């Protein structure tokens, strides 16, 4: 359900969100094939852009089959449109839009990143084509005309667009989960490293103190032993009381 002003509400599901913005972007594109600076900034910063902009081809509005020269020209044209210097009435949003364009361009310059993006788009297309076949198979089984809405080229492009965005979003979520897991592991390893270092430090300090006080302990022991010997020598022999002599009574 859309909220006031045509924006999707907080209760809207992923499909509603994709449908809304796909329709919105296509309407803008039909109205003006070369979007104005403001329109481009609005497109790049629309709600959900953190996931929509994961597709660098979508950000630059260029086909995956485009040549490097076409990619370069498109980047130049789009970066000029959204550059903060050209949008001094809204420099902060323009800066964010420019960063999205710059990131997308750099990703496509990197062969591995570009291949990854192309693979995701291809996977989205194959998923839609597979679903179309399954739907037609079921229609044939039910004895109904084998026509699905994706047979319409525009509906097919829309279905591929939505599925592609979902795949990009899923990959990003997994990437963040791996990043969070790795960060947790690094933190745990660092804590263990610190604990090991502190334990080793305590042991070294104990050993150092033990060695430094060694002479004192030896002297104390010798004094203690000497004291015991002296005490034995000075000990007087034990004396016993002699019983008194008994006098014999004299007889008269």
């Amino acid at each position: 359900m859309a909220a006031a002003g045509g924006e999707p509400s907080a209760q809207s599901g992923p499909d509603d969100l994709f449908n809304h913005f796909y329709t919105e972007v296509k309407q803008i594109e039909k109205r003006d094939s070369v979007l104005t600076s403001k329109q481009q900034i609005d497109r790049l910063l629309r709600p959900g852009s953190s996931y929509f902009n994961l597709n660098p081809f979508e950000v630059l509005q260029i086909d995956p089959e485009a040549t490097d020269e076409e990619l370069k020209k498109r980047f130049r044209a789009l970066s000029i449109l959204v550059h903060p210097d050209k949008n001094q009435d809204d420099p902060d949003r323009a800066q964010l839009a420019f960063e999205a364009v710059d990131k997308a361009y750099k990703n496509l310059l990197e062969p591995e990143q570009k291949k990854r993006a192309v693979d995701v788009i291809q996977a989205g297309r194959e998923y839609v084509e597979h679903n179309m076949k399954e739907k037609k198979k079921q229609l044939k089984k039910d004895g109904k005309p084998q026509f699905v809405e994706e047979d319409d080229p525009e509906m097919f492009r829309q279905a591929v667009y939505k599925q592609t965005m979902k795949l990009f979003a899923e990959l990003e979520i997994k990437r963040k989960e791996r990043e969070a897991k790795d960060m947790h592991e690094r933190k745990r390893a660092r804590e263990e490293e610190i604990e090991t270092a502190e334990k080793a430090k305590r042991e070294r300090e104990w050993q150092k103190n033990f060695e430094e006080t060694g002479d004192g302990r030896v002297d104390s022991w010798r004094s203690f032993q000497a004291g015991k010997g002296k005490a034995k020598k000075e000990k007087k022999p034990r004396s016993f009381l002699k019983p008194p002599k008994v006098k014999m009574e004299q007889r008269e």
Side-chain angles (χ1 to χ4, degrees), residues 226-237:
K228 286 177 62 178
K230 185 177 180 180
K232 288 181 179 179
K233 291 179 180 180
E234 293 179 351
K235 188 175 181 180
K236 294 181 179 180

Side-chain angles (χ1 to χ4, degrees), residues 57 60 62-76 105 108-111 114:
F57 295 106
L60 298 176
I62 194 170
D63 292 331
E65 295 80 12
T67 64
D68 291 345
E69 185 61 28
E70 290 172 334
L71 174 62
K72 188 175 182 180
K73 289 181 179 179
R74 180 56 185 160
F75 167 70
R76 285 179 177 175
Y105 178 62
L108 293 182
L109 288 180
E110 178 63 37
K114 182 177 181 179

Side-chain angles (χ1 to χ4, degrees), residues 7-65:
E7 293 294 328
S9 67
Q11 289 77 26
S12 299
D15 288 338
D16 295 330
L17 192 65
F18 284 120
N19 284 331
H20 175 82
F21 289 113
Y22 180 86
T23 302
E24 180 185 79
V25 171
K26 292 305 175 183
Q27 287 175 346
I28 293 174
E29 290 176 347
K30 288 179 180 179
R31 183 174 69 245
D32 189 351
S33 58
V34 181
L35 302 184
T36 64
S37 294
K38 183 180 183 307
Q39 288 171 332
Q40 286 287 6
I41 293 173
D42 289 342
R43 178 181 71 86
L44 293 166
L45 301 183
R46 64 194 185 276
S49 60
S50 60
Y51 286 106
F52 287 110
N53 292 347
L54 292 172
N55 183 349
F57 295 106
E58 176 66 22
V59 172
L60 298 176
Q61 294 181 310
I62 194 170
D63 292 331
E65 295 80 12

Side-chain angles (χ1 to χ4, degrees), residues 145-195:
Q146 299 175 45
F147 177 81
V148 294
E149 61 179 4
E150 290 86 358
D151 284 327
D152 178 87
E154 181 59 28
M155 295 301 294
F156 177 79
R157 284 193 293 271
Q158 182 175 345
V160 171
Y161 173 87
K162 291 191 293 183
Q163 184 59 34
T164 299
M165 291 299 101
K166 288 180 181 179
L167 291 176
F168 272 110
E170 289 173 1
L171 289 174
E172 178 65 7
I173 290 172
K174 290 179 180 179
R175 185 193 68 79
K176 289 183 176 180
E177 289 176 347
R178 288 195 303 270
E179 190 177 76
K181 183 179 179 180
D182 291 343
M183 185 179 297
H184 175 74
E185 290 296 325
R186 288 195 299 271
K187 181 181 179 182
R188 185 178 62 82
R190 179 56 180 163
E191 289 175 348
E192 290 181 355
E193 182 181 340
I194 292 174
E195 176 60 25

